[in-house]
Amino acid sequence: MRLLYIHSAHVPALAANAVQVAKMCQAFRVAGAEVLLALPRASMNRQDHYGKIAREYGLDTEFPFRVLPVPFWPVPGRELFFSMLALFAAVWLRPHVIFTRSATVALVSAGLFGFTTVFELHDPIGSLSSRQRQRLAKLIGLKAFRMLVVTTQRLRDNSLCLFPQHAGKFFIAPNGADPVPPNVEKYSLTGTFKVGYVGHLYKGKGMEIISAIAPRCGWATFHIVGGTPGDIGYWTSKLAQCPNTVFHGYVPHAATCAYLAEMDVVLAPYLRNVEGQGGGRNIAEGMSPLKLFEYMAHGKPIVSSDLPAIREVLRDSVNSVLVSPDNPSDWVNALRHLRENEVFRDQIGLQAKADFLTKYSRIARATNILKEIENREAYRLHSFSC
């Protein structure tokens, strides 16, 4: 299968979606597809486009995909212009399917060009702009639009309320991660009980909880990996009197394994309202956090907020400890219990890793999506011939 992944934002970039796009392109490639990733040319400041992405995200160069730089001008309607140019190139490249996370790209692909199109949705529809919602409403009924990939059951249910007549176009594929490379060299972290967090520091992602519990856990050292300089400056100031918090700043994604390998416990401390990149929208209802699957891949004991979307992956006292995002005391007690019970720590960590290997590897996700596309295409052709 020839798959053209059109992404209208920069890769590499600090955003989590950049990691997901790059990693999924390689996963599709490993799963047997011929993959071409179309990106804004502004993100390409070197000739070895794939090499730059591979180094940033630690991609396996045994399965390279091709990169197509497309002009992206900073003018009104720039995403539409970008879509048109990428899809004009697709006319020559003749892909079997267009895959994208942009409603604009998907609508132009299926509606104007008639390409078989798959759109991946990561946010609740209610959090999208009115223009994006309008485009999605036009897109979902088009004949060339084959599939709407969502990452959680709750996100499917949320979307289905608006499009009940198109239930057959939905496909659930939780986010995933890659297995941990063998013989990871651990990054030396301070403290005797190391509690880690890897990810952005946007509002609702969890620094609010960490800042409330760190002063009450003098027996733990909290290692925060990630964040913009502005966010780090804000939280460093807030925790100036708390010596057991260490901010490591931005770390290339390929290097985060070394930090995770050294952590005793990891946190996914989401609030009920989680701000996405750019702010102004709550993504908590439909989120399938990348960090959860990376934590699971490492076999780390996870303490996470007990939220409906999280419960689709994590089970309390089985592969994690789930606690209320509203009560810092619950987090302190959970960490104390894990510190004092190494057997329980190992037990939930091992189960998390087993669950990851059987359900949440990125290669398995890519394989399932490709198989579903092929099944839908085969059904369509059979129905047409009849």
Side-chain angles (χ1 to χ4, degrees):
M1 178 186 295
R2 287 190 301 278
L3 182 146
L4 173 59
Y5 199 135
I6 302 178
H7 188 59
S8 56
H10 295 177
V11 179
L14 295 179
N17 63 48
V19 180
Q20 292 167 333
V21 168
K23 295 275 192 174
M24 279 305 299
C25 281
Q26 182 171 65
F28 282 134
R29 180 73 184 86
V30 175
E34 180 184 338
V35 179
L36 178 63
L37 173 60
L39 293 172
R41 182 176 288 167
S43 68
M44 305 297 179
N45 54 14
R46 301 186 184 193
Q47 290 186 344
D48 61 334
H49 303 156
Y50 174 77
K52 180 182 179 184
I53 294 170
R55 287 189 293 275
E56 177 70 20
Y57 299 125
L59 303 185
D60 184 350
T61 53
E62 183 181 352
F63 297 97
F65 52 83
R66 291 185 294 155
V67 178
L68 174 67
V70 177
F72 191 85
W73 298 293
V75 296
R78 55 189 174 273
E79 189 173 29
L80 180 60
F81 287 129
F82 168 82
S83 305
M84 294 289 291
L85 291 170
L87 289 160
F88 275 126
V91 172
W92 173 67
L93 295 164
R94 301 182 67 184
H96 295 112
V97 62
I98 304 295
F99 195 97
T100 185
R101 292 171 56 139
S102 163
T104 302
V105 171
L107 183 58
V108 175
S109 172
L112 186 59
F113 287 81
F115 285 119
T116 295
T117 303
V118 175
F119 174 53
E120 183 166 292
L121 179 68
H122 285 248
D123 300 326
I125 291 178
S127 74
L128 304 178
S129 68
S130 59
R131 180 175 295 177
Q132 288 175 312
R133 290 196 298 270
Q134 290 168 4
R135 289 174 178 170
L136 181 54
K138 292 177 181 178
L139 168 68
I140 198 164
L142 294 175
K143 288 184 178 180
F145 179 64
R146 294 287 182 270
M147 194 162 73
L148 179 60
V149 177
V150 292
T151 53
T152 67
Q153 180 68 47
R154 286 184 64 82
L155 191 50
R156 178 188 183 276
D157 295 343
N158 169 278
S159 305
L160 207 53
C161 290
L162 299 176
F163 307 113
Q165 71 276 32
H166 297 296
K169 289 195 171 181
F170 287 83
F171 182 70
I172 302 172
N175 276 330
D178 298 326
V180 178
N183 304 317
V184 172
E185 186 174 346
K186 297 180 180 181
Y187 186 91
S188 180
L189 300 177
T190 59
T192 55
F193 186 65
K194 308 172 189 71
V195 179
Y197 171 89
V198 178
H200 284 290
L201 309 184
Y202 304 142
K203 291 180 180 178
K205 288 278 190 175
M207 274 308 302
E208 299 88 347
I209 290 174
I210 293 173
S211 68
I213 65 176
R216 299 168 59 178
C217 299
W219 33 265
T221 304
F222 292 79
H223 291 274
I224 317 300
V225 179
T228 66
D231 288 337
I232 292 169
Y234 173 81
W235 287 110
T236 300
S237 175
K238 291 274 287 186
L239 291 166
Q241 303 304 314
C242 192
N244 62 330
T245 54
V246 181
F247 289 87
H248 297 273
Y250 169 74
V251 171
H253 189 267
T256 58
C257 281
Y259 289 81
L260 281 167
E262 180 71 354
M263 295 170 180
D264 296 306
V265 174
V266 290
L267 303 179
Y270 299 102
L271 302 188
R272 298 189 189 277
N273 192 315
V274 179
E275 188 175 284
Q277 185 188 13
R281 57 197 176 95
N282 181 17
I283 63 172
E285 187 173 347
M287 65 183 178
S288 179
L290 181 62
K291 72 163 62 64
L292 277 190
F293 304 104
E294 293 178 342
Y295 290 169
M296 294 172 76
H298 278 266
K300 293 297 176 179
I302 301 167
V303 183
S304 175
S305 296
D306 189 359
L307 297 173
I310 299 297
R311 276 191 173 270
E312 292 189 27
V313 177
L314 298 183
R315 294 168 290 162
D316 185 37
S317 298
V318 177
N319 62 0
S320 63
V321 176
L322 300 180
V323 291
S324 168
D326 306 315
N327 190 349
S329 294
D330 290 350
W331 291 79
V332 173
N333 291 336
L335 288 175
R336 182 179 290 113
H337 178 65
L338 287 170
R339 176 173 173 258
E340 295 170 355
N341 293 271
E342 188 174 351
V343 172
F344 179 60
R345 281 207 319 262
D346 292 343
Q347 176 186 322
I348 63 172
L350 288 171
Q351 186 60 54
K353 186 169 186 176
D355 290 346
F356 164 78
L357 292 172
T358 56
K359 303 178 186 177
Y360 301 116
S361 77
R362 194 173 274 115
I363 304 269
R365 180 177 197 263
T367 300
N368 291 338
I369 291 173
L370 291 176
K371 187 178 297 184
E372 186 66 17
I373 294 170
E374 290 173 350
N375 290 342
R376 289 172 185 244
E377 282 299 280
Y379 177 80
R380 182 188 68 85
L381 291 173
H382 175 73
S383 299
F384 181 78
S385 66
C386 293

